[in-house]
Amino acid sequence: AGSLNGAGGGLERRSLLTALALTASLAIPQSLAPLSTSAADYAYQPALEGKDYGKSKMAYSDFVQTPSGLSYKDATIGKGKMPEDGDRVVIEWSGFTIGYFGRPFETKRLQQLDGEEREFYRFELGAKTVIPALEEGVRGMAEGGIRQLVVPPEIGYPPDEPTHLKVGPKPSTFSGQRALDFVLFDKDLIDKTLLFNVKLIRVDKAADLRKASKKA
């Protein structure tokens, strides 16, 4: 068990640095240090489910961990409106399989390689159309803020919704979805922890949306 955890820690550090190196457009800082975890606190790996050994869950000393298991860190504190349930939020996001070599599944670079042009992502807060970690992570942000989320599988993509259409965000490129799904649906030893970088672009308040709808 000790050797597994030790090797995993080194891989986690390399994965995080790889992911952070690809997020320059969101100005995410790269000074993150892993925090040692309890030997009994293991990441979900299907082939080791129910075992008393495995890879320790990822945790970082300068991140805030919430009761749900989400870890987050604010890179920039926003100064605009804050969202509430029912509001529509507009975000820019990137994603990495931080538990598995830090591979990107949503970045501007992937879009350029695939010849795609990405629009900002929009969703209604509280409508459960995105993964629980993103709903929780956006709460407490303000317009202009940038937040980094480390997402365990328990509050990530649901295993029974492989299209990511009902519960997003869905990667905007084929290569990105393939990278994500390779990790999500692996039944062996892959750690399914994900990293999201989220910039809150705009908050459209529910009351304003209702007024605009009536005028239309």
Side-chain angles (χ1 to χ4, degrees), residues 20-196:
L20 290 173
L22 297 170
T23 60
S25 64
L26 287 180
I28 299 295
Q30 299 187 24
S31 56
L32 298 172
L35 176 69
S36 61
T37 55
S38 166
D41 199 11
Y42 300 116
Y44 174 65
Q45 296 169 280
L48 298 181
E49 190 171 10
K51 306 292 185 182
D52 60 354
Y53 58 88
K55 180 182 176 184
S56 294
K57 286 185 178 179
M58 304 180 75
Y60 298 89
S61 58
D62 49 356
F63 277 59
V64 176
Q65 186 166 19
T66 72
S68 72
L70 175 70
S71 296
Y72 73 87
K73 179 181 179 180
D74 288 312
T76 300
I77 304 295
K79 298 181 179 180
K81 292 177 289 186
M82 298 180 68
E84 301 174 317
D85 282 358
D87 295 344
R88 181 174 63 194
V89 295
V90 181
I91 65 170
E92 181 179 6
W93 71 285
S94 58
F96 302 84
T97 61
I98 191 176
Y100 184 70
F101 297 110
R103 292 178 176 172
F105 60 89
E106 179 72 0
T107 63
K108 288 183 178 179
R109 178 59 176 161
L110 281 180
Q111 289 185 326
Q112 291 169 356
L113 291 173
D114 278 25
E116 300 282 349
E117 252 187 72
R118 174 173 67 176
E119 297 182 355
F120 292 135
Y121 189 76
R122 296 165 169 80
F123 66 94
E124 180 184 330
L125 193 63
K128 298 182 179 180
T129 58
V130 298
I131 60 174
L134 185 56
E135 288 244 6
E136 182 180 355
V138 167
R139 287 190 175 93
M141 295 182 69
E143 290 173 327
I146 299 173
R147 180 170 283 185
Q148 192 169 50
L149 312 175
V150 176
V151 179
E154 295 83 1
I155 52 174
Y157 291 93
D160 59 350
E161 211 285 279
T163 66
H164 315 307
L165 292 173
K166 294 180 180 179
V167 181
K170 176 184 171 69
S172 59
T173 66
F174 173 77
S175 57
Q177 178 149 347
R178 185 172 58 181
L180 175 62
D181 289 348
F182 178 80
V183 168
L184 292 183
F185 301 110
D186 175 79
K187 301 298 184 183
D188 198 13
L189 295 174
I190 291 179
D191 179 354
K192 303 179 188 304
T193 305
L194 303 175
L195 170 71
F196 287 79

